[in-house]
Amino acid sequence: MGVVVVPTRPSAPTPVLFAQEGGSLHIGDAVQVGNTSGQGLRVRDIPGREGKILAKFTEGSSLQIIDGPKQADGYTWWKVRGAGGEGWCAADFLVHAP
């Protein structure tokens, strides 16, 4: 029998890891959209990938955490508010604002 290679998810940069652990982000924190490779961040009406997309924030957009965290679809989700609206997004794409 041959060797089976199972693809794994690439490891995340440090800002993503602290966000996923949930220990560094809190309600009221000022954050920015990051780690999207320029694609921006979609925010949804409920925590999870099946939620309806309500808005999309560009890389570097300033946001405030207003609720969470919630766990869904293998991600930690935070509800954020920004100039373009509010909704739930995966913590992987949030970094503390400078």
Side-chain angles (χ1 to χ4, degrees):
M1 188 164 202
V3 176
V4 176
V5 178
V6 178
T8 60
R9 192 173 173 181
S11 61
T14 301
V16 172
L17 295 176
F18 78 74
Q20 288 179 334
E21 292 168 2
S24 290
L25 295 177
H26 301 89
I27 294 173
D29 283 357
V31 294
Q32 288 183 324
V33 175
N35 306 312
T36 70
S37 299
Q39 294 185 17
L41 176 64
R42 294 175 294 241
V43 295
R44 301 173 184 273
D45 63 340
I46 59 172
R49 296 166 81 184
E50 298 301 317
K52 177 183 173 188
I53 298 170
L54 301 175
K56 185 174 181 181
F57 293 104
T58 59
E59 185 96 13
S61 293
S62 296
L63 308 170
Q64 182 176 25
I65 295 176
I66 59 173
D67 198 1
K70 304 282 184 185
Q71 300 296 317
D73 299 327
Y75 293 94
T76 300
W77 296 79
W78 291 94
K79 190 171 188 181
V80 297
R81 178 181 297 136
E86 66 181 53
W88 292 90
C89 63
D92 293 42
F93 308 105
L94 300 176
V95 295
H96 276 126

